[in-house]
Structures are given as C-alpha cells and as structure tokens.
Amino acid sequence: MIEVKHLTHIYNPGTPWEIKALEQISFRVVRGECLGIIGESGSGKSTLAQHLAGLLFPRLGSVLIDGANIYNAHGGREMRKRVGFIFQSPADQLFEESVFKEISFGLRQEKNLSSREIEERVRDVCRKLHPPLEDLMDRSPFELSAGERIMLAIASVLISKPEALVFDEPYAGLDPNNRSEILHQIEILHRNKKTLIILSNQSEGLIHLCDRVIFLYQGKIVAKGRLQEFLASGEIDRRVTDLLPPLTRMLIHLREKGIEVNPSLDTPSSVSLEIHRLLQKKGKN
Ligand SMILES: Nc1ncnc2c1ncn2[C@@H]1O[C@H](COP(=O)(O)OP(=O)(O)OP(=O)(O)O)[C@@H](O)[C@H]1O
Ligand SMILES: [Mg+2]
C-alpha cells in the first residue's frame, strides 16, 4: 500500500519566488488499485508524482510504502525501486542507443544474470505490451514515434518488476490513436493487478477505468472517491466539473435540468442509447 500523509511542497521557500505547489495532500492506494489524479496545468501533479517516485524529498509530510518511509536513511533506495515512474516527457528517461539496451539497462547492472536470461526477460516484457515492442529492438529510442517511446518507457520500468507504476501525464501531446493505445495498456496493467497511479489533466477515457479518482486544484485535493458514487452525489464542485470529460459534463447538465440520466455513461453509443430510452419513455407517457 502507498500512503501519502499531509504532504506539502513549497518550491524556493523563503524567497520571492516561493510557490506552494502542494498543500496537505493525504490519500492511500491499496495493492492492485488504479488511482487517477486529475488536475489542470500547474495544479501540482508532477510535483506529487515525483514525491511518489521518491525523486523529491518530502520536507513536510510523508510518502509511505507498506508503512515504511520511501525516503529514509536506511534502505531508501530499495523502497524507491518498488515504484516505477513514467515521466511526463518519456524522452527525458531514455538515453541508450537501442531499444534493447534501453530496456535491459537495469538488468545489465545485475552481475548474476546471463545475457540469455536478460534477452528472455526483455522479450517477455515486450511481448506483453500492446502494440508489442519486439520488432523495434535494434532501433534507436530517439527514432521512435511519441507513442512508441511511451511504450518503451513502460517496458524499461516493467523490466525491474515494480509493485506500483506512476504515470505522469502519459499521453500529453499524443494523437487520439496513441492515446487509446496507452489507455488500453493501462487497462491491461490494471487487469494484471499492478498498482497504478495516473496523473493527467485529461480525464477523458481515464477516469472510467480508475477505481478511484482524486481531483487536484491549485495544490489541494478538492474531491476524491469512486467516480460512480461521486457522480451520483448531486451537487458537484465547479472546479471538478471543469475537469470532467465533455460527455460527462453534458450528462450532469441534463441531470441539473431535471432529466433522469445516468452521468456515469462514458461512450457516445451508451449515451445515445440512454437518450433513445428517455425519448421512448417520453413517447409512452
Ligand atoms: N522546479 C520548480 N521550481 C519552481 N516552481 C516549480 C517547479 N516545478 C513546478 N513549479 C511550480 O509548481 C506548481 C505546480 O507545478 P507542477 O509541474 O507540479 O504542475 P502540473 O500539474 O504537473 O502541471 P502540468 O499539467 O502543466 O504538467 C506550478 O505553479 C509550477 O510553476
Ligand atoms: Mg506536470
């Protein structure tokens, strides 16, 4: 279980450039759960993601994995290895000359693994990705498309078998096709019971596959919970509504007008069916 307790992060404290990026953030993620963290640009997502991956030191508050501090003096590194991090710009985490070398980097540092074992593990991870990366092994990571680079970043993290994965804005700047591929990949990881934390400013396609969602606004949590329960709860904070997918916003709007629709529907076809049902009902009355 990952637990964030009263986490506050201030950049450049005590200077004229001081910025409170996170304020009193607390939440838990249990093993196998998929948590979505949604917030507009500048709401503190990357700052939070870096704390979850142990890349930023929590000065105020703490990040715990199974009750142990991610950043203690003893075994801190071990703890950090348990969480894999996919950066906001995956190119920042790629540095080897071929896809194979990139994925196998961590394994090659382990003295007790033969090159055959390394190759098998790399192929095994690549086969599980959709689309698989197997045919790209000799290519340079820098020649890959943006979507392929994210897949490569995921493979490079999965190879060391982390218990949890943190995705910071996994599909920023990608076209809709690549975006659905990444979402599909996230769904597969979720089905395979990986603990997932996905931070994004785009909720569409993501919030419906998460078990729980947190909405961040200017460094603070403004809402959290299961989406269905949360949508069923009537009045929704305007700061949250603005972050919901257009389809969900439309359904909430219809509900506010007194039309009995289910705001949890997430595809145009399910919404059309619902509208059709309502029209038929109206016709009968
Ligand atoms: N290294 C830094 N030094 C100073 N201020 C920073 C630094 N990194 C982020 N900030 C500030 O902290 C706040 C939160 O930034 P952060 O990058 O965490 O937001 P974000 O939600 O990830 O935004 P985006 O969606 O644009 O990636 C912003 O006001 C940002 O300007
Ligand atoms: Mg960010």
Side-chain angles (χ1 to χ4, degrees), residues 9-12 17-22 39-50 56 88 168-169 199-201 216 218-219:
H9 187 86
I10 303 167
Y11 286 107
N12 310 315
W17 304 278
E18 181 172 300
I19 290 176
K20 199 182 259 182
L22 295 174
E40 61 183 17
S41 181
S43 58
K45 300 180 300 294
S46 293
T47 309
L48 178 56
Q50 288 174 66
L56 274 178
Q88 182 159 355
D168 186 9
E169 215 67 74
L199 301 101
S200 178
N201 56 21
L216 270 188
Q218 294 183 355

Side-chain angles (χ1 to χ4, degrees), residues 255-276:
R255 192 176 60 180
E256 280 167 3
K257 298 267 173 236
I259 300 166
E260 280 175 39
V261 283
N262 171 8
S264 305
L265 299 172
D266 61 337
T267 59
S269 55
S270 60
V271 173
S272 331
L273 280 174
E274 177 87 336
I275 291 173
H276 187 241

Side-chain angles (χ1 to χ4, degrees), residues 115-170:
S115 25
R116 197 178 156 169
E117 282 170 306
I118 294 178
E119 196 161 318
E120 270 170 22
R121 268 181 65 178
V122 170
R123 298 226 173 261
D124 189 44
V125 161
C126 290
R127 260 195 300 271
K128 288 182 187 147
L129 294 173
H130 295 268
L133 277 176
E134 275 177 303
D135 299 338
L136 304 175
M137 285 302 156
D138 299 323
R139 296 266 301 277
S140 156
F142 301 96
E143 287 170 5
L144 301 183
S145 71
E148 288 165 342
R149 269 188 211 169
I150 296 192
M151 286 301 171
L152 172 56
I154 297 175
S156 311
V157 164
L158 281 179
I159 196 85
S160 52
K161 301 184 177 164
E163 288 157 39
L165 277 95
V166 175
F167 289 81
D168 186 9
E169 215 67 74

